[in-house]
Amino acid sequence: MPENVKCRCPWLDITKPDYVKYHDDEWGVPVRDDQKLFEYLTLESAQAGLSWYTILIRREGYKEAFNQFNIKEVAQFTTDKVNELLLNDKIIRHRGKIEATINNAKCFMLIQKEFDSFSHYLWGFVNNETVVNNRSKKEDYPATSPLSDLLSKDLKKRGFKFLGSTTCYAFIQACGLVNDHSIDCYKRSQIINEYQQG
């Protein structure tokens, strides 16, 4: 089937090639690398109150601003660095979100210390197996779930910021804890087959 007629998720704006690439290459693919998980966590927390595409088009800016999402380096950012980032038009210039990213890097490292990796901690919420959902229409997609409620509550207890249940649901969708590709999306079965899910 030609690329342009592949069946994809109903929420995807197929007029945006970079959005389509993100959907096809990354969204919902299980991620177990801590640096990549920190990147997703940072981008999702930056999205709070905005559209995902607003963040996606600034992704390279975020990579540059946050040292390729090097967790240890971000954890050491100073107030001067925050002030510098507030002048950076390649990211969302929101003091609270920038400070939250630095705070979250520190909290992330504490989880790494406790669980050997953030990935071990995160995937423990789903017994190390992706939850495969059955979505068909745009209306079928929830903003939150019991799983995102649980994760958000635990992250907040551990000191994380800008990670409410809605943000956490977007995060677990992105990094593949849940497979929320629609039933007729070609990517759903591809991920199931590749990762022996379902």
Side-chain angles (χ1 to χ4, degrees), residues 31-35 37 108 111-112 115-126 128 177:
V31 176
R32 295 177 188 269
D33 174 75
D34 272 14
Q35 190 167 333
L37 286 170
F108 196 101
I111 286 180
Q112 287 178 316
F115 292 86
D116 293 327
S117 73
F118 186 85
S119 177
H120 286 160
Y121 159 78
L122 182 67
W123 282 90
F125 282 87
V126 289
N128 221 32
L177 261 75

Side-chain angles (χ1 to χ4, degrees), residues 33-48:
D33 174 75
D34 272 14
Q35 190 167 333
K36 181 60 76 174
L37 286 170
F38 180 66
E39 175 179 351
Y40 280 22
L41 203 67
T42 299
L43 295 174
E44 294 294 352
S45 68
Q47 182 199 344

Side-chain angles (χ1 to χ4, degrees), residues 38 42 45 66 74 82 94-107 159-163:
F38 180 66
T42 299
S45 68
F66 291 99
V74 173
V82 172
H94 183 294
R95 183 180 290 277
K97 289 181 178 181
I98 293 168
E99 289 175 343
T101 299
I102 300 164
N103 168 79
N104 291 349
K106 293 172 185 172
C107 297
F160 285 78
K161 295 176 180 172
F162 274 92
L163 288 169

Side-chain angles (χ1 to χ4, degrees), residues 172-185:
I172 62 177
Q173 285 178 309
C175 66
L177 261 75
V178 298
N179 182 342
D180 258 358
H181 284 281
S182 60
I183 290 170
D184 56 359
C185 176

Side-chain angles (χ1 to χ4, degrees), residues 3 6 27 42 47-48 73 80 82 89 95 102 109 120 122 131 138 140 159 161-165 167 172 179 193 198:
E3 280 294 309
K6 267 184 181 171
W27 194 75
T42 299
Q47 182 199 344
E73 289 178 13
D80 285 346
V82 172
D89 62 5
R95 183 180 290 277
I102 300 164
M109 288 169 66
H120 286 160
L122 182 67
V131 175
K138 204 172 177 180
D140 292 342
K161 295 176 180 172
F162 274 92
L163 288 169
S165 188
T167 300
I172 62 177
N179 182 342
N193 294 336

Side-chain angles (χ1 to χ4, degrees), residues 1 8 35 58 89 105 110 120 137 145 157 159 175-176 178:
M1 192 183 282
R8 294 180 170 91
Q35 190 167 333
R58 291 171 172 79
D89 62 5
L110 290 174
H120 286 160
K137 306 185 296 295
S145 72
K157 190 176 75 179
C175 66
V178 298

